[in-house]
Amino acid sequence: SSSVDTVSDVYYIQKGEERLYNSYSLAIDMAEGVVDLQTRILNTLNQLNIPQEETDIKSDIISDFEKVITSGSTTRKDVDKDIQRLIRVASQLNRLSVGTSDIREAIDDLLVVLERKWEASR
């Protein structure tokens, strides 16, 4: 088990000006470390044995996934982009003719982490 720690700032608007209300720490416990999960997904994607005509789809999937894991998102807007990219990756997997259920399951786990990070960045 591992934990991801993040800090979320809560703001309010007063007279048109955004002001910091408070900062909160948030720990997300994972049975598998997030980096390990990301690495496992990326390795599995790279090892997919697909027909030649699906090479471009696989390349696009890997490219989108790499953007998610290297983004270092800290703002809610950035985390939202990562969530959308990850949903696109999961959707694109359906276009491949090989079994990808293990990858989709791992992506679901990663989405949970990103959704919590998104909630914490309110």
Side-chain angles (χ1 to χ4, degrees):
S1 176
S2 67
S3 178
V4 176
D5 296 315
T6 186
V7 175
S8 180
D9 295 330
V10 176
Y11 292 88
Y12 66 97
I13 305 290
Q14 183 177 19
K15 297 182 181 178
E17 185 178 323
E18 190 174 90
R19 296 176 185 221
L20 178 64
Y21 175 73
N22 207 346
S23 295
Y24 299 93
S25 295
L26 175 68
I28 302 170
D29 290 322
M30 293 281 296
E32 175 179 33
V34 174
V35 173
D36 294 333
L37 176 61
Q38 293 170 339
T39 301
R40 181 167 55 91
I41 294 169
L42 187 58
N43 288 341
T44 306
L45 287 170
N46 280 313
Q47 294 170 2
L48 283 176
N49 189 10
I50 57 164
Q52 182 65 33
E53 61 270 12
E54 296 177 0
T55 302
D56 289 343
I57 298 168
K58 178 181 170 181
S59 294
D60 289 345
I61 290 169
I62 291 171
S63 175
D64 276 345
F65 187 73
E66 286 176 334
K67 288 175 186 171
V68 170
I69 64 176
T70 60
S71 70
S73 299
T74 55
T75 68
R76 189 171 208 186
K77 185 176 178 180
D78 291 339
V79 175
D80 189 53
K81 285 181 188 177
D82 286 345
I83 290 171
Q84 295 307 315
R85 276 193 190 110
L86 207 49
I87 290 170
R88 185 170 51 242
V89 165
S91 176
Q92 289 289 81
L93 287 170
N94 293 328
R95 296 181 58 203
L96 298 176
S97 60
V98 297
T100 58
S101 59
D102 290 347
I103 299 170
R104 285 196 308 271
E105 219 174 276
I107 285 174
D108 286 346
D109 291 341
L110 191 53
L111 273 170
V112 169
V113 173
L114 289 177
E115 288 168 354
R116 289 182 180 169
K117 189 174 180 181
W118 184 85
E119 284 293 324
S121 65
R122 284 182 164 217

